[in-house]
């Protein structure tokens, strides 16, 4: 099998790069071992919410120069302010072409309501996710009887503290009883698979109508809406806005985003090899010319370009032992704090240094191996170092922007070499 580009990892970074390359006519494959961070995410995408020194960011554009001073190895600092803004705009267009409806703009963060009812600055959110300040005097927050991954009382307490009138009610819907009997099955995605069935809509709407009371809007845990049409149908039947709050993983809103990106890549002719693990590569004259995987064993997957989008520790893109952090496929150079004692902080709530560990790359996002770059190997997304996706609120932005940055370079290089598309 021969490809223009093989991408390792089907998270937000890998899928974004794959879509851009496939849109330009490249023959692309994505090899992916398992689920990505999207399956566990809020479904909202962060661009830059806080500077490393703790300053909140309202307009990312205005904060990028400070970021470059405070974090010169941050992926945004490597690509430069103008590129960040252009690639953020390009990301928004790519999501639209993938038929993904999100609200927000890279020029201005919005405050989304979190599963605890707090506020968090974000770049793009599904339209069902409520934003602060809430435009309603009274809202009804729905708990689902027996569902442990959502705390309606906590949400209610946080929203009440900001001046909203909140009424909590409990949905008991008998159609969920089969799932409810097994607590380990009573998870957001399984509930959504039941509630999204068109035949269950009338009963759902009937019970929600009784529970709404005097609420001008309803907030539910995101246990419906694997397909966006369900929420629209409930909203239309109730006649009030219906909003969803992300729950503990697995995440309905994150999976919806993943499914839409995957669908777009495949429609464009991209090939996904799920459940396979890249184990190594064959090099010739300083370039990778083939990859090897667990499933294909000794059959080489030939390629002109390779993008490593294997994620951070969470997805196995980085591996940690007590003394070392390694990149397990190619043994690439990882940028870590020298002192073992400085890897983590005792206070769980302060930014953790290990979250910034990742690959050392040059300004073209080419990783090194003992200081030497491989010409046709690039790294994107959360396998990179130099940023903290939690403290800085930049995880999705780094994934999408580095993906587009690298895909553009590959297309330019392919054109310069007159590679046939
Ligand atoms: C639990 C969690 C929740 C998050 N929530 C948010 C959020 O709500 N908003 C936000 O902006 N950011 C969030 N982030 C930050 C997140 O890192 C980025 O937003 C982004 O989704 C990361 O995408 P990625 O493609 O770089 O990596 P990942 O999503 O981690 O994908 C890496 C992929 O590579 C595959 N892989 C690894 N090794 C191999 C191999 N050897 N062979 C083949 N495949 C391999 C993995 O199976 C996986 O599919 C979250 C991160 C985590 C961990």
């Amino acid at each position: 099998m021969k490809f223009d580009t093989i991408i390792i990892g089907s998270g937000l970074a890998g899928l974004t790069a794959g879509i851009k390359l496939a849109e330009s006519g490249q023959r692309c494959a994505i090899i992916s071992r398992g689920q990505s961070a999207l399956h566990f995410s809020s479904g909202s995408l962060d661009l830059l919410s806080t500077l490393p020194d703790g300053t909140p960011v309202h307009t990312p554009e205005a904060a990028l120069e400070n970021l470059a001073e405070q974090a010169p190895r941050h992926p945004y600092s490597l690509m430069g302010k103008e590129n960040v803004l252009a690639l953020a705009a390009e990301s928004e267009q790519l999501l639209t072409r993938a038929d993904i409806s999100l609200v927000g703009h890279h020029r201005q963060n919005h405050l989304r309501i979190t599963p605890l009812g707090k506020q968090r600055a974000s770049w793009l959110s599904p339209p069902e996710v409520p934003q602060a300040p809430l435009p309603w005097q009274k809202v009804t927050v729905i708990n689902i009887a027996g569902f442990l991954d959502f705390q309606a009382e906590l949400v209610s307490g946080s929203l009440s503290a900001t001046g909203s009138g909140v009424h909590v009610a409990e949905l008991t819907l008998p159609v969920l009883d089969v799932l409810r009997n097994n607590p380990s099955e009573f998870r957001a995605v399984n509930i959504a698979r039941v509630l999204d069935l068109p035949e269950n809509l009338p009963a759902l709407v009937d019970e929600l109508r009784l529970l709404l009371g005097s609420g001008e809007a309803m907030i539910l845990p995101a246990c419906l809406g694997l397909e966006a049409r369900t929420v629209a149908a409930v909203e239309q039947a109730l006649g009030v806005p219906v909003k969803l709050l992300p729950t503990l993983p697995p995440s309905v809103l994150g999976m919806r985003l993943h499914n839409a990106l995957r669908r777009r890549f495949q429609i464009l002719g991209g090939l996904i090899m799920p459940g396979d693990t890249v184990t190594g590569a064959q090099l010739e004259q300083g370039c990778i010319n083939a990859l090897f995987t667990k499933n294909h064993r000794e059959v080489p997957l030939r390629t002109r370009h390779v993008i490593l989008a294997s994620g951070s520790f969470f997805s196995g893109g980085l591996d940690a032992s007590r003394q070392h952090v390694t990149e397990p496929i190619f043994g690439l150079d990882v940028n870590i704090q020298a002192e073992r004692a400085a890897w983590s902080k005792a206070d769980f709530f302060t930014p953790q240094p290990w979250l910034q560990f990742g690959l050392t790359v040059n300004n073209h996002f080419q990783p090194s191996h003992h200081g030497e770059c491989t010409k046709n190997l690039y790294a994107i997304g959360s396998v990179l170092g130099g940023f903290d996706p939690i403290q800085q609120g930049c995880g999705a932005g780094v994934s999408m922007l580095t993906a587009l940055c690298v895909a553009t370079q590959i297309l330019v290089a392919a054109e310069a070499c007159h590679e046939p598309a």
Side-chain angles (χ1 to χ4, degrees):
M1 277 187 271
K2 198 163 179 181
F3 300 94
D4 294 312
T5 301
I6 296 183
I7 299 163
I8 306 170
S10 70
L12 183 60
L15 285 166
T16 301
I19 290 171
K20 164 126 184 155
L21 292 169
E23 280 178 339
S24 302
Q26 278 219 342
R27 188 166 149 68
C28 260
I30 297 182
I31 304 168
S32 194
R33 177 164 59 193
Q35 289 185 327
S36 74
L38 278 179
H39 291 85
F40 301 85
S41 79
S42 63
S44 288
L45 305 179
D46 300 338
L47 184 60
L48 181 62
S49 311
T50 312
L51 283 169
D53 68 3
T55 309
V57 172
H58 306 292
T59 47
E61 180 176 3
L64 288 169
E65 276 155 26
N66 280 336
L67 180 71
E69 277 170 28
Q70 293 178 30
R73 300 305 301 167
H74 193 291
Y76 294 164
S77 308
L78 296 182
M79 66 177 74
K81 180 176 172 178
E82 294 311 315
N83 271 331
V84 170
L85 297 175
L87 294 171
E90 191 182 338
S91 303
E92 291 166 5
Q93 290 155 10
L94 179 142
L95 291 163
T96 305
R97 290 196 299 277
D99 209 15
I100 296 166
S101 164
L102 294 170
V103 293
H105 194 275
H106 63 278
R107 300 267 170 204
Q108 181 77 48
N109 283 334
H110 63 269
L111 293 173
R112 68 175 170 89
I113 308 283
T114 71
L116 296 179
K118 303 284 185 200
Q119 300 173 11
R120 185 175 163 92
S122 205
W123 169 30
L124 300 168
S125 287
E128 300 93 338
V129 170
Q131 293 185 19
L134 290 181
W136 313 288
Q137 300 294 318
K138 290 182 187 170
V139 291
T140 303
V141 176
I142 300 292
N143 218 354
I144 299 179
F147 181 58
L148 302 176
D149 295 346
F150 180 73
Q151 303 302 324
E153 297 297 342
L154 283 180
V155 176
S156 163
S158 301
L159 294 181
S160 303
T162 62
S164 301
V166 185
H167 159 67
V168 174
E170 191 167 74
L171 181 85
T172 51
L173 210 60
V175 75
L176 293 175
D177 283 350
V178 176
L179 283 178
R180 204 178 271 119
N181 288 339
N182 182 350
S184 64
E185 290 293 310
F186 207 52
R187 314 304 294 269
V189 172
N190 291 340
I191 297 172
R193 289 194 178 113
V194 175
L195 296 185
D196 277 4
L197 291 173
E199 61 266 34
N200 290 331
L201 185 67
L204 174 65
V205 167
D206 283 350
E207 190 165 341
L208 290 178
R209 195 176 282 121
L210 290 175
L211 299 175
L212 178 63
S214 58
E216 298 158 40
M218 180 172 275
I219 296 180
L220 290 141
C223 293
L224 65 161
L226 275 170
E227 297 296 335
R229 60 182 147 72
T230 311
V231 184
V234 173
E235 200 163 52
Q236 196 185 8
L238 291 181
V240 296
V242 171
K243 298 290 172 188
L244 301 180
L245 285 183
T247 63
L248 288 180
S251 153
V252 168
L253 298 173
M255 281 177 66
R256 192 167 89 191
L257 183 56
H258 178 269
N259 292 345
L261 290 168
R262 190 192 54 199
R263 203 159 42 227
R264 172 76 177 154
F265 177 66
Q266 290 175 321
I267 284 171
L268 291 163
L271 177 71
I272 299 195
M273 301 182 196
D276 202 359
T277 301
V278 176
T279 50
Q282 179 177 292
L283 273 122
E284 198 179 298
Q285 295 175 346
C287 282
I288 296 175
N289 62 15
L291 292 177
F292 295 96
T293 73
K294 258 192 187 155
N295 293 353
H296 290 84
R297 295 167 185 259
E298 66 275 10
V299 178
L301 303 177
R302 302 211 173 273
T303 184
R304 292 193 172 106
H305 309 275
V306 177
I307 301 180
L308 182 64
S310 51
S312 189
F313 300 100
F314 183 76
S315 294
L318 298 175
D319 213 7
S321 64
R322 285 196 73 78
Q323 297 301 333
H324 303 284
V325 176
T326 52
E327 184 288 305
I329 305 175
F330 304 106
L332 297 166
D333 299 337
V334 181
N335 189 8
I336 57 170
Q337 306 271 337
E339 290 293 319
R340 175 64 182 84
W343 285 14
S344 61
K345 294 259 169 72
D347 180 357
F348 182 75
F349 293 102
T350 58
Q352 294 293 334
W354 62 267
L355 279 167
Q356 304 224 18
F357 295 178
L359 298 185
T360 308
V361 288
N362 64 16
N363 288 4
H364 301 285
F365 296 103
Q366 292 175 299
S368 58
H369 181 255
H370 300 310
E372 294 285 321
C373 291
T374 304
K375 276 187 230 155
N376 63 344
L377 173 65
Y378 299 85
I380 60 174
S382 55
V383 73
L384 298 171
F387 69 103
D388 178 340
I390 297 178
Q391 187 263 338
Q392 294 159 12
C394 61
V398 166
S399 290
M400 294 199 77
L401 274 55
T402 54
L404 293 178
C405 186
V406 161
T408 305
Q409 293 181 66
I410 288 177
L411 292 171
V412 170
E415 196 163 314
C417 298
H418 305 292
E419 288 174 7

